[in-house]
């Protein structure tokens, strides 16, 4: 490999459908890079030694202040962003969870990364939606458990 060139490796991200009644929590991304200005789920990179549930709990807390409960795995996706200025390959672990206290409000704790958080119905999602999320929605995925 050329000197000074970072190795390109896949990374693992944990992203969370935080569910409240019939809605899911989304925020508009402000961090430079993939999904800039698009609506996406809270989440981030899995840290060394973490379980998926621990990572979900930590990322949601860091980004929104919300405490989640009943966190469970729903799906894994393989995401290639090869045409980006900084190409990346993300294995996304999608989790779902509910609020520990249904009255707790989301806070925008990382305002350089996100415009703010709000609840949206799955049938009426905001645009522009982050690519991987849009694809899942178009394929008929639904994050809510079957009643
Ligand atoms: N729904 C999704 N499907 C696939 N990939 C996603 C999804 N949501 C986010 N990602 C990707 C985008 C990013 O490349 C990656 C990490 O998320 P991101 O929010 O950018 O990290 P972060 O800055 O919050 O975490 P860290 O501080 O751990 O790096 O996950
Ligand atoms: Mg994040």
């Amino acid at each position: 490999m050329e000197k000074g060139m970072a190795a390109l490796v896949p990374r693992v991200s944990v992203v969370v459908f935080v569910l409240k009644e019939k809605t899911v929590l989304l925020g508009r991304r402000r961090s430079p890079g993939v999904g800039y200005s698009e609506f996406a789920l809270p989440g981030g990179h899995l840290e060394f030694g973490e379980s998926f549930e621990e990572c979900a709990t930590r990322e949601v807390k860091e980004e929104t202040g919300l405490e989640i409960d009943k966190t469970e795995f729903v799906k894994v996706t393989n995401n290639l962003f090869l045409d980006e200025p900084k190409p990346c390959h993300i294995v996304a672990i999608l989790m779902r969870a509910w609020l520990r206290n249904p009255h707790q409000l989301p806070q925008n704790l990382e305002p350089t990364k996100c415009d703010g958080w709000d609840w949206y119905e799955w049938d009426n999602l905001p645009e522009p939606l982050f690519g991987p999320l849009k694809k899942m929605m178009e394929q008929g995925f639904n994050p809510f458990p079957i009643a």
Side-chain angles (χ1 to χ4, degrees), residues 29 41-44 59 63 110 113:
R29 291 174 68 87
L41 301 168
E59 285 287 350
E63 297 183 352
E110 294 183 335
K113 289 188 179 183

Side-chain angles (χ1 to χ4, degrees), residues 13 15 29 34 43-45 59 63 79 90 92 113 130 132-133:
S13 285
V15 287
R29 291 174 68 87
V34 294
H45 294 107
E59 285 287 350
E63 297 183 352
N79 303 274
I90 308 284
K113 289 188 179 183
F130 185 41
L133 208 52

Side-chain angles (χ1 to χ4, degrees), residues 11-17 29 31-35 39-47 55 58-59 62-63 77-79 81 88-94 110 113 117 130-134 136:
R11 295 191 75 188
V12 179
S13 285
V14 172
V15 287
V16 190
F17 293 99
R29 291 174 68 87
S31 36
V34 294
F39 287 89
L41 301 168
H45 294 107
L46 185 69
E47 290 183 359
C55 182
R58 177 182 56 75
E59 285 287 350
E62 283 176 4
E63 297 183 352
T77 60
N78 191 35
N79 303 274
F81 305 97
C88 62
H89 177 177
I90 308 284
V91 176
I93 309 296
L94 295 132
E110 294 183 335
K113 289 188 179 183
W117 301 100
F130 185 41
L133 208 52
K134 192 171 178 71
M136 287 173 72

Side-chain angles (χ1 to χ4, degrees), residues 23-76:
T23 64
V24 31
L25 188 71
L26 296 172
R28 198 163 187 162
R29 291 174 68 87
R30 278 297 160 222
S31 36
V34 294
Y36 181 79
S37 185
E38 297 174 342
F39 287 89
L41 301 168
H45 294 107
L46 185 69
E47 290 183 359
F48 187 87
E50 264 182 338
S51 69
F52 298 153
E53 290 80 6
E54 287 166 345
C55 182
T57 302
R58 177 182 56 75
E59 285 287 350
V60 170
K61 179 88 186 167
E62 283 176 4
E63 297 183 352
T64 72
L66 295 171
E67 305 211 330
I68 54 173
D69 194 21
K70 297 189 226 152
T71 310
E72 60 188 17
F73 170 83
V74 280
K75 189 179 170 70
V76 61

